[in-house]
Amino acid sequence: MNDQKPVEINKSRAKSKLSTSDLFFLSFGGQAPFISLLTFGTVMISLVGTQGAFAMLIATAVVALNGIVINRLSSRFKRGGGYYTYAYYALTERLGTSTGWVYLAYALSYGGTLLAGGAYVLYSILRMLPFTPSILLNQWLLALIVSGLASGLVIAGVRASAKYAMIMSTAEMIALVSLAIFFLRDSGWHFYNPFTVNLSPSLFEAVVFGLGIPTGYGSIAPLGYDASSKSIGKVAVAVVFYGGLLATFFFYSLGALDFTGNLVQYLLSDFGIVGAVILGFIALNDGTLGGMSYILANSRTLKAMSEDKVFPSILAKDIKGKPLYAEILIAGIFTSAVVALTNFMGLYGVFVILGGLAGIFNLFIHSSADLSLVRITAKRAKKHWWELSIGILATLVSIAVLIYSFTGFSPIMINIFLGWIVLGFFYLEIKEMLSSSSTED
């Protein structure tokens, strides 16, 4: 284990800028619940019907395990960088660097998925409206608009991002609860017992789809430069249960309808043009929130890695209290990647490919975090037996999900994942060789 003491790093940093409530809304925005419920939700309902709410409760419990891991790790590390920092100091420098390298791809994939998903829902709605200007039906333009909004908010400052997240996330919570009540009303207030004895054979598959819905702590774990580690730890757990229970209520209401169709079309049939405008606004807001959260997280991970000379030190430089160069670079990469991919394969294709990659990268970084907690607590197992147990259980669950779902990923996604790992290895080796050469000279 790395012998440096991360708790001593950045003691002189400026006073934390983000409160616990700021982090909560940023993390909730990182879940992009509306996009997640429209996509993962309809799949879950189609698999298990009225057991969707039960499947979501199980998924919430599973995700909460990793949330508790982040809670315990963040209490030990006062430095920003999240998963990179945890592995760098708890495991080894090389494993930490590999974790940081994979997190950069994970945040790009997950954030890019949310950006593309928001733009795709917006495109689908605009295409149904008779008065939509033809220019707005260019998918790459919608991708640029959503990515540009998210990037602009990040560069405007973390406080501006948090304020936007607070206002828009609150509006989204109200909208989702209102929709759930609307579904129950349409069902004739049909209340039912989702905990049946005869479980669907597709229940576990539905749970796997549900794992991506309440995960929001991945976007705030790296924000140790901007918030207290105590607040990050609290929110990492709270946002899982809040988002998971909200999604459970949403699925319960859909189950009351025995709904298995296209949710957007169903809403448009009841609300018409007014519903389309509202759904379009929510989709734009959701994609922006999700992308913004992961651009922020990626820029802080890049800053931490640059402080350790993995990347050029200029990316770690603060300008007016924030890593402006890192933010600009990450925002540029997000926008360019999403727009370019959309131009080649369309928004739906981008959503599918990046969503699959995010799933693979997600399993890697959370397994790394779980092992980090196990390594830290194993030396004093008697004193930290509860944390050690959580770490071991979370590791086993992550590995089980990895084994179950890995066969479902397409070969191209697996090749991209492995290619990214190999690329990182070569980058680090070449950098180390150049560093050794300059020292010898």
Side-chain angles (χ1 to χ4, degrees):
M1 186 166 67
N2 197 332
D3 292 328
Q4 298 183 53
K5 296 181 178 179
V7 294
E8 301 298 327
I9 297 176
N10 291 330
K11 268 192 170 182
S12 61
R13 75 178 190 270
K15 186 179 179 180
S16 297
K17 302 171 187 176
L18 298 176
S19 65
T20 302
S21 61
D22 290 333
L23 285 171
F24 177 84
F25 287 107
L26 278 171
S27 186
F28 184 80
Q31 290 181 352
F34 181 71
I35 301 299
S36 297
L37 291 173
L38 284 183
T39 52
F40 299 125
T42 51
V43 175
M44 291 176 67
I45 291 295
S46 69
L47 287 170
V48 294
T50 56
Q51 292 179 29
F54 183 44
M56 191 64 238
L57 281 177
I58 297 174
T60 300
V62 172
V63 174
L65 278 175
N66 281 320
I68 294 171
V69 169
I70 300 303
N71 174 282
R72 303 319 306 153
L73 286 172
S74 64
S75 68
R76 289 174 163 82
F77 297 91
K78 312 303 180 184
R79 184 194 191 195
Y83 299 89
Y84 160 72
T85 297
Y86 305 152
Y88 188 88
Y89 292 103
L91 301 174
T92 65
E93 292 184 15
R94 186 164 291 278
L95 281 174
T97 304
S98 296
T99 299
W101 178 262
V102 171
Y103 183 86
L104 293 176
Y106 161 73
L108 174 60
S109 300
Y110 201 103
T113 301
L114 302 180
L115 290 169
Y120 177 71
V121 174
L122 182 59
Y123 167 75
S124 300
I125 293 170
L126 290 173
R127 192 174 55 176
M128 297 178 186
L129 299 177
F131 51 79
T132 301
S134 58
I135 190 172
L136 289 180
L137 295 180
N138 288 314
Q139 296 190 29
W140 68 266
L141 180 60
L142 294 177
L144 179 61
I145 291 172
V146 178
S147 301
L149 283 173
S151 299
L153 285 165
V154 170
I155 295 172
V158 70
R159 291 296 306 166
S161 300
K163 187 173 182 180
Y164 177 85
M166 182 174 294
I167 295 171
M168 295 305 179
S169 291
T170 301
E172 189 164 348
M173 291 175 194
I174 295 172
L176 290 174
V177 171
S178 300
L179 283 174
I181 294 174
F182 171 77
F183 297 150
L184 283 174
R185 190 215 66 176
D186 262 17
S187 74
W189 305 106
H190 169 56
F191 295 98
Y192 62 96
N193 178 16
F195 308 107
T196 58
V197 176
N198 298 319
L199 297 179
S200 168
S202 301
L203 182 66
F204 186 73
E205 186 177 355
V207 170
V208 172
F209 275 98
L211 295 177
I213 294 175
T215 302
Y217 47 76
S219 63
I220 62 167
L223 301 184
Y225 296 107
D226 306 285
S228 71
S229 56
K230 185 177 181 180
S231 294
I232 292 174
K234 286 181 179 178
V235 172
V237 176
V239 77
V240 172
F241 287 107
Y242 186 86
L245 292 177
L246 180 60
T248 299
F249 179 45
F250 190 86
F251 290 139
Y252 182 86
S253 66
L254 284 176
L257 288 167
D258 287 326
F259 181 82
T260 58
N262 186 304
L263 186 54
V264 174
Q265 290 180 356
Y266 169 65
L267 292 173
L268 288 177
S269 67
D270 275 56
F271 292 111
I273 293 177
V274 174
V277 172
I278 294 173
L279 288 177
F281 172 76
I282 295 175
L284 177 63
N285 165 64
D286 217 36
T288 300
L289 274 175
M292 179 189 73
S293 297
Y294 280 95
I295 292 172
L296 269 175
N298 231 3
S299 66
R300 271 50 182 182
T301 300
L302 185 63
K303 171 181 167 66
M305 297 178 75
S306 299
E307 286 178 341
D308 294 330
K309 310 301 181 185
V310 177
F311 296 112
S313 58
I314 190 173
L315 295 173
K317 184 178 180 181
D318 281 343
I319 297 178
K320 295 184 179 180
K322 63 175 186 174
L324 182 60
Y325 297 130
E327 288 179 350
I328 292 174
L329 177 61
I330 292 298
I333 291 173
F334 266 68
T335 302
S336 300
V338 173
V339 173
L341 288 172
T342 300
N343 191 49
F344 284 107
M345 63 181 68
L347 286 168
Y348 183 76
V350 175
F351 180 83
V352 171
I353 191 77
L354 290 184
L357 288 173
I360 301 176
F361 290 129
N362 172 62
L363 293 171
F364 182 96
I365 63 166
H366 283 107
S367 295
S368 173
D370 298 337
L371 288 172
S372 295
L373 183 61
V374 171
R375 180 72 184 277
I376 289 173
T377 55
K379 289 188 174 181
R380 296 183 179 180
K382 289 184 179 180
K383 182 178 180 180
H384 301 291
W385 65 269
W386 182 80
E387 292 173 302
L388 178 60
S389 300
I390 289 293
I392 293 173
L393 181 59
T395 301
L396 293 175
V397 169
S398 295
I399 292 174
V401 173
L402 174 64
I403 293 172
Y404 177 83
S405 59
F406 208 75
T407 55
F409 293 115
S410 67
I412 188 172
M413 291 180 184
I414 295 174
N415 288 337
I416 291 173
F417 170 73
L418 296 176
W420 182 255
I421 298 289
V422 172
L423 183 62
F425 171 79
F426 279 117
Y427 172 80
L428 294 174
E429 289 299 317
I430 292 171
K431 184 178 179 299
E432 188 172 323
M433 286 190 293
L434 292 175
S435 177
S436 300
S437 299
S438 61
T439 302
E440 291 173 3
D441 292 340

